[in-house]
Amino acid sequence: MRYHIRPSAVPLMGTVRVPGDKSISHRAVLFAAMAEGTSRLTGVLESADVRSSMAAVEALGAQVELIAEEPEGLSLAVRGWGADGPIEPVGPIDCGNSGTSIRLLLGILAGWPINAVLTGDESLSRRPMRRVTAPLSEMGARFQAEEGDVAPIGVSGGSLRPASFELPVASAQVKSALLLAALRAPGTTRVCEPSPSRDHTERMLPAFGVPVDRQTLCASVTGPVALSAADVAVAADPSSAAFLVGAALLVPGSDVSLPGVSLNPTRIGFLRVLARMGADVEVTKGPEICGEPTGDIRARYSATLTATTITAEEVPSLIDEVPLLAIVATAATGTTRFEGVGELRVKESDRLAAISEAINTLGGGAIADEDTLAIAGGHPLTGTALDSLGDHRLAMAYAVAGLVASGETEIDRFEAVDVSYPAFAGDLKTLQAGVRE
Ligand code: S3P
């Protein structure tokens, strides 16, 4: 689907409840499927990625019942496989576009004596899986992949031994896969990472009855340990909120409020960066929901933004927001530098190449090399034809650019937004209509 967008003639005004967090929704579905008993989940993101996790656990023997479809998300009752373990699936399990589904499932399946094949779409089939299969092999799991380290991947699980890992890359998907495998390994498995990646797994496992020992940069689980059913409410997704925050900062006169967003510190590096840039963003802390700090974000048009440097250390806390921050940086005075962003090359697309090319096509000044990105601010953007490459976050970042670029911006394959934020275009329209809830 091609999406056409012009500079917003009106400020963005009002309140939008952005959908449930994608990372938390995946984990709620997967952990509930592993647990003994029936878990009740609310606010679950209704999107293609989370549907991949739901279909996968059903193929593995969990029962997923839709209780209600509410504006805040899906209410589900999930009956897990518990002590019986997952059943051997009849055919390959299609993880679609979802890196979180495939990587966490590889860890979950590693400890059970069944064979399963995990596949995905074209994008997922290009993404590196050895980062998960190599450490899981050390624990005793076996994998078969035709083309080296990409899907389709066969997993033959069984008895695991505990291990200690120093991950070369900060990745919550890898860390989570290893901690989930560790549940079935007798003894303590420890996972350390170079800088803190999102910690939803560590925060949610205790609710399912699994103690997680946490030190700075390391998490340990002692197995064997079983999950028992839990009730989980999913907070709104800061990564989805980021696009509306960015839009509000750039469109003159805007004033946008986003309530109930996860303010997990491992996720809101983008808010810290925007504060450094002088953005008018206000955060009001709210209640903790299922171990996740939450609160409200209010973003207002910010006429004067200044460039900043994003260090490699803080990248994991804003890894999914780099495309959006790069667009915001086009409006800042000076050159914004992103260091240590090479991981963007192995996301749903090569986001580093794509965002720098798109910004240059729009008339901005971007330079990317293997691991860094520099955006020279102050070049006015001109609408043009862009391709999302089937990448949801690029599609939404380009739409934010289209709100301020002169003329018309066309975004090809815009349906990619269904992966994480199906209502994105509708929510933008709501804000343009200035509707306050
Ligand atoms: C995710 C972890 C991150 C992130 C992805 C979701 C997760 O990936 O980019 O969108 O839910 O654990 P990596 O683990 O590859 O850093």
Side-chain angles (χ1 to χ4, degrees), residues 17-21 25 41-46 68-75 233-237 259-260 437:
R17 155 87 205 191
V18 296
D21 186 81
S25 296
L41 316 179
T42 51
V44 174
L45 170 64
E46 217 277 88
E69 221 173 319
E70 287 150 342
E72 308 79 52
L74 304 177
S75 291
V234 179
D237 195 326
E437 263 177 10

Side-chain angles (χ1 to χ4, degrees), residues 30 42 74 83 150 211 307 343 364 372 398:
L30 294 170
T42 51
L74 304 177
V150 293
E343 267 298 293
T372 65
Y398 296 167

Side-chain angles (χ1 to χ4, degrees), residues 22-23 27 100 103 131 170-173 198 319-320 347:
K22 181 159 80 68
S23 293
R27 285 159 175 80
T100 306
R103 293 195 175 116
R131 52 180 62 195
S171 162
Q173 292 175 352
R198 64 193 66 192
I319 184 77
D320 294 338
K347 291 294 177 188

Side-chain angles (χ1 to χ4, degrees), residues 49-74:
D49 251 28
V50 179
R51 274 199 297 273
S52 293
S53 280
M54 285 161 59
V57 299
E58 284 186 301
L60 292 165
Q63 284 168 28
V64 180
E65 191 194 337
L66 177 66
I67 307 287
E69 221 173 319
E70 287 150 342
E72 308 79 52
L74 304 177

Side-chain angles (χ1 to χ4, degrees), residues 21 23-24 27-28 31 172 175-176 179-180 193 196-214 218-221 227 230-233 235 261-268 272 287-294:
D21 186 81
S23 293
I24 301 175
R27 285 159 175 80
F31 298 179
K175 174 179 62 177
S176 300
L179 292 175
L180 295 175
E193 48 186 353
S197 66
R198 64 193 66 192
D199 62 355
H200 306 299
T201 296
E202 298 91 308
R203 285 172 186 263
M204 198 186 291
L205 277 177
F208 285 87
V210 175
V212 179
D213 185 30
R214 303 188 63 185
C218 297
S220 312
V221 161
L227 282 76
D231 293 347
V232 178
V261 179
S262 166
L263 296 179
N264 182 320
T266 63
R267 293 291 301 282
I268 54 167
R272 295 187 284 267
E288 185 160 299
I289 300 179
C290 296
E292 295 280 334
T294 71

Side-chain angles (χ1 to χ4, degrees), residues 177-393:
L178 298 175
L179 292 175
L180 295 175
L183 304 172
R184 302 274 301 155
T188 298
T189 293
R190 182 174 150 96
V191 186
C192 300
E193 48 186 353
S195 41
S197 66
R198 64 193 66 192
D199 62 355
H200 306 299
T201 296
E202 298 91 308
R203 285 172 186 263
M204 198 186 291
L205 277 177
F208 285 87
V210 175
V212 179
D213 185 30
R214 303 188 63 185
Q215 298 107 23
T216 327
L217 299 179
C218 297
S220 312
V221 161
T222 301
V225 56
L227 282 76
S228 38
D231 293 347
V232 178
V234 179
D237 195 326
S239 298
S240 296
F243 295 103
L244 301 182
V245 168
L249 298 181
L250 299 185
V251 175
S254 298
D255 185 351
V256 167
S257 296
L258 308 166
V261 179
S262 166
L263 296 179
N264 182 320
T266 63
R267 293 291 301 282
I268 54 167
F270 76 100
L271 291 176
R272 295 187 284 267
V273 166
L274 291 174
R276 291 210 295 270
M277 296 177 81
D280 189 351
V281 179
E282 205 179 297
V283 174
T284 310
K285 286 190 181 150
E288 185 160 299
I289 300 179
C290 296
E292 295 280 334
T294 71
D296 304 340
I297 302 174
R298 180 173 182 184
R300 281 177 274 210
Y301 172 60
S302 302
T304 47
L305 293 168
T306 45
T308 187
T309 294
I310 291 102
T311 64
E313 249 235 311
E314 62 186 332
V315 165
S317 71
L318 49 76
I319 184 77
D320 294 338
E321 288 66 68
V322 174
L324 179 270
L325 288 172
I327 297 295
V328 172
T330 65
T333 309
T335 297
T336 298
R337 292 176 208 285
F338 298 81
E339 296 169 348
V341 283
E343 267 298 293
L344 289 189
R345 296 201 180 273
V346 290
K347 291 294 177 188
E348 286 83 331
S349 67
D350 179 345
R351 287 184 180 158
L352 199 44
I355 194 70
S356 60
E357 202 180 307
I359 286 174
N360 288 329
T361 313
L362 286 159
I367 301 174
D369 67 17
E370 226 11 74
D371 204 34
T372 65
L373 174 67
I375 310 291
H379 299 275
L381 304 182
T382 308
T384 183
L386 299 171
D387 183 353
S388 80
L389 304 175
D391 183 328
H392 55 133
R393 303 220 189 270

